[in-house]
Amino acid sequence: MTSHQTALAFPVTISHVCRAWRSIAIGTANLWTTIQFTRLPSIHPSLMDYEQQRTWLTRSKGAPLHIHLVLNQSPKKEWNEEVLDRHWFSADDMDRVLDLIIPEAHRWSSAHVLTDSYAPMYRFLQRSSHIKAPILKDVELYRCNHFYGQSTEFHPRRFKDPFPLFESAEKLESVTLSGVHVDW
């Protein structure tokens, strides 16, 4: 088990030991600060459970959050992004995730987004361009497919217009972009 997997499993595990441990675990905000959406069963089979993530947001109280959107495991490894989005995770799906986490952007300490189609990444960039993230230190945005590297032009063309990376993020120290473009 990786350290990241441990960080996700640990709060749930200790909250199931006994009533006393459950009470302590639920009351310890820092245990619930990693908010992850994924469909990778090897990490955690139910992390696309929006209610579970809403619970973690509530239990994290006002603590800084580490946002992880690991959405890069398409059942079909190759597709044409120029065709309307037939990917398992769409821009509308990203909206549902963002509806949950954007209201907490003032608590984001890190934001890591991995997608293998550009529509959800574009939606993330579009919506996050209007937010203030005053304690955000680290951003990593990856489009994890071979499609974007096969041309000197940006693809898919319908997403070629870049957005600014957040309205403001005064504490930002590290930005990693791969297959993603933003308006600096």
Side-chain angles (χ1 to χ4, degrees):
M1 186 176 287
T2 68
S3 62
H4 186 70
Q5 290 168 320
T6 302
L8 294 172
F10 183 72
V12 174
T13 300
I14 65 166
S15 71
H16 288 87
V17 171
C18 66
R19 275 191 217 137
W21 283 37
R22 180 172 180 76
S23 178
I24 292 167
I26 289 173
T28 305
N30 287 339
L31 290 176
W32 308 97
T33 59
T34 299
I35 307 300
Q36 178 161 315
F37 286 91
T38 188
R39 282 201 177 137
L40 296 175
S42 63
I43 292 178
H44 196 287
S46 65
L47 287 175
M48 286 304 287
D49 181 341
Y50 297 92
E51 288 308 312
Q52 178 183 348
Q53 298 310 308
R54 188 182 321 275
T55 299
W56 282 50
L57 284 167
T58 301
R59 290 178 182 175
S60 69
K61 301 175 184 165
L65 298 173
H66 304 284
I67 305 297
H68 296 271
L69 309 180
V70 183
L71 310 165
N72 66 326
Q73 294 295 318
S74 174
K76 185 176 179 185
K77 298 288 184 194
E78 295 181 30
W79 64 92
N80 183 348
E81 286 195 84
E82 295 295 346
V83 177
L84 289 177
D85 199 9
R86 286 186 245 142
H87 191 267
W88 71 272
F89 190 82
S90 70
D92 291 339
D93 294 324
M94 179 62 85
D95 273 332
R96 190 165 176 211
V97 170
L98 294 174
D99 288 345
L100 187 61
I101 64 174
I102 281 182
E104 304 298 329
H106 64 281
R107 298 197 295 139
W108 293 6
S109 176
S110 63
H112 299 169
V113 182
L114 293 84
T115 66
D116 52 10
S117 78
Y118 204 69
M121 180 65 75
Y122 190 78
R123 187 61 54 87
F124 176 85
L125 292 168
Q126 182 182 41
R127 291 201 44 202
S128 66
S129 70
H130 303 290
I131 66 171
K132 296 178 180 175
I135 66 168
L136 183 64
K137 294 180 181 177
D138 176 47
V139 174
E140 294 182 10
L141 305 177
Y142 297 94
R143 179 166 49 151
C144 305
N145 72 27
H146 72 283
F147 186 75
Y148 78 87
Q150 295 181 354
S151 174
T152 57
E153 296 179 21
F154 185 83
H155 289 278
R157 289 179 201 92
R158 72 184 190 276
F159 299 131
K160 71 178 179 138
D161 297 327
F163 291 96
L165 188 59
F166 307 108
E167 181 177 318
S168 67
E170 304 86 28
K171 305 267 180 169
L172 195 58
E173 297 172 356
S174 174
V175 175
T176 304
L177 304 173
S178 178
V180 177
H181 65 285
V182 297
D183 182 8
W184 291 103

